[in-house]
Amino acid sequence: MARRKVIRIDEEKCDGCGECVPSCPEGAIAVVNGKARLVSDIYCDGLGACLGHCPQGAIAVEEREAEAFDEGKTREHLARLRARKAALGPLPLAATPPQCPGSMLRSLDRLPVRAGARDGDGVDPQPSELRNWPIQLALVPPQAPLLEGTDLLLVADCVPFAYADFHRQFLRGRPVVIGCPKLDQAEFYVEKLAAIARAAGPRSLTVVHMEVPCCSGLTRIAQHALGLAESDTPLTDVTVSIGGEVLASAQVAPLTPRP
């Protein structure tokens, strides 16, 4: 062991995009469980060729106690990686389309319910209130015309499954974007929502999330986004129980961005 320079990966910032993996000539980085990891100190020469390839700025070079860089073992490691890649073969073109046609921006019309159409219990079905597509926050462009000057709805993924009257109570007359504050990249969501607030200028923003603690992170994302955008858009926080009830609804203030 000796004190030398090696890379450090900030797991809080890393979103697992994998851009850093091919940028490392020594094959010292791999994506494991959704995060970039340093495979072994002995494969890292500490020169930091990967630094400029991380869009989240999650990689830095630090000086610490580490095993010495081993050029011979690194060559063996790279040979194993090449052999593994050759064994897998090339990906089919259909597996890596340049753009998913399903993410094309659309404004949806409210379809009438077909006369006499009833479910198995003899109950008249309710029409969908969804008016915009796509709905994933990551896919919605900030300049989308259907967002301009509207009462925007930001919803945690699980809410429509728990709250039976979601379409009538919340979705009607509103464009919606959805996301998961626990599984998705919060920092990216803050910046994306701030861009929407600047470009679209919504009349209001309502966040609907589940009662579980991690889900309230969606409200903090909205607060940080409005603060970052310096927006005075009114923000309402709604909490839904796992049992399908609205537990609370209150106005909340944006958060001032950190200096």
Side-chain angles (χ1 to χ4, degrees), residues 25-26 42-44 69-79:
E26 293 76 32
I42 66 173
Y43 303 143
C44 179
F69 171 64
D70 192 317
E71 188 172 351
K73 289 185 177 179
T74 298
R75 284 197 296 268
E76 294 173 2
H77 171 62
L78 289 171

Side-chain angles (χ1 to χ4, degrees), residues 3-254:
R3 191 167 185 84
R4 70 179 186 91
K5 291 182 177 180
V6 290
I7 65 161
R8 175 179 58 82
I9 301 172
D10 187 334
E11 291 192 8
E12 293 296 320
K13 291 182 179 180
C14 176
D15 62 1
C17 71
E19 291 287 334
C20 56
V21 175
S23 70
C24 178
E26 293 76 32
I29 306 175
V31 176
V32 181
N33 295 328
K35 297 287 183 179
R37 317 271 186 184
L38 179 60
V39 177
S40 174
D41 290 347
I42 66 173
Y43 303 143
C44 179
D45 60 9
L47 296 179
C50 53
L51 293 182
H53 295 268
C54 179
Q56 302 300 328
I59 304 177
V61 174
E62 65 176 1
E63 190 170 311
R64 62 171 173 83
E65 291 292 322
E67 292 183 83
F69 171 64
D70 192 317
E71 188 172 351
K73 289 185 177 179
T74 298
R75 284 197 296 268
E76 294 173 2
H77 171 62
L78 289 171
R80 287 193 297 271
L81 292 178
R82 287 192 292 269
R84 187 182 308 163
K85 184 177 180 180
L88 290 174
L91 287 173
L93 293 177
T96 55
Q99 183 178 5
C100 173
S103 64
M104 183 177 67
L105 194 66
R106 303 180 196 179
S107 180
L108 306 177
D109 294 325
R110 190 171 189 265
L111 297 175
V113 177
R114 182 167 51 86
R118 296 192 171 187
D119 63 19
D121 296 324
V123 178
D124 292 331
Q126 297 300 309
S128 172
E129 298 292 346
L130 184 63
R131 296 291 167 270
N132 64 285
W133 187 267
I135 59 175
Q136 286 284 349
L137 180 55
L139 299 177
V140 177
Q143 297 82 11
L146 50 86
L147 301 180
E148 292 179 8
T150 60
D151 297 307
L152 182 61
L153 201 59
L154 174 61
V155 181
D157 295 349
C158 299
V159 167
F161 294 95
Y163 193 72
D165 204 19
F166 174 77
H167 277 242
R168 187 183 66 86
Q169 184 74 18
F170 292 110
L171 189 54
R172 180 176 294 174
R174 296 171 170 172
V176 62
V177 290
I178 67 171
C180 176
K182 182 176 177 63
L183 301 180
D184 300 337
Q185 180 65 24
E187 187 175 343
F188 170 78
Y189 276 177
V190 169
E191 294 176 357
K192 185 65 173 287
L193 200 57
I196 289 175
R198 295 189 193 102
R203 282 193 304 261
S204 68
L205 175 61
T206 299
V207 181
V208 190
H209 60 85
M210 299 300 297
E211 64 177 321
V212 294
C214 60
C215 206
S216 62
L218 200 63
T219 302
R220 291 191 292 276
I221 287 171
Q223 289 177 291
H224 281 292
L226 293 181
L228 183 62
E230 299 181 343
S231 171
D232 58 359
T233 299
L235 176 60
T236 302
D237 175 57
V238 180
T239 305
V240 173
S241 73
I242 296 175
E245 299 176 309
V246 174
L247 298 179
S249 179
Q251 290 263 315
V252 294

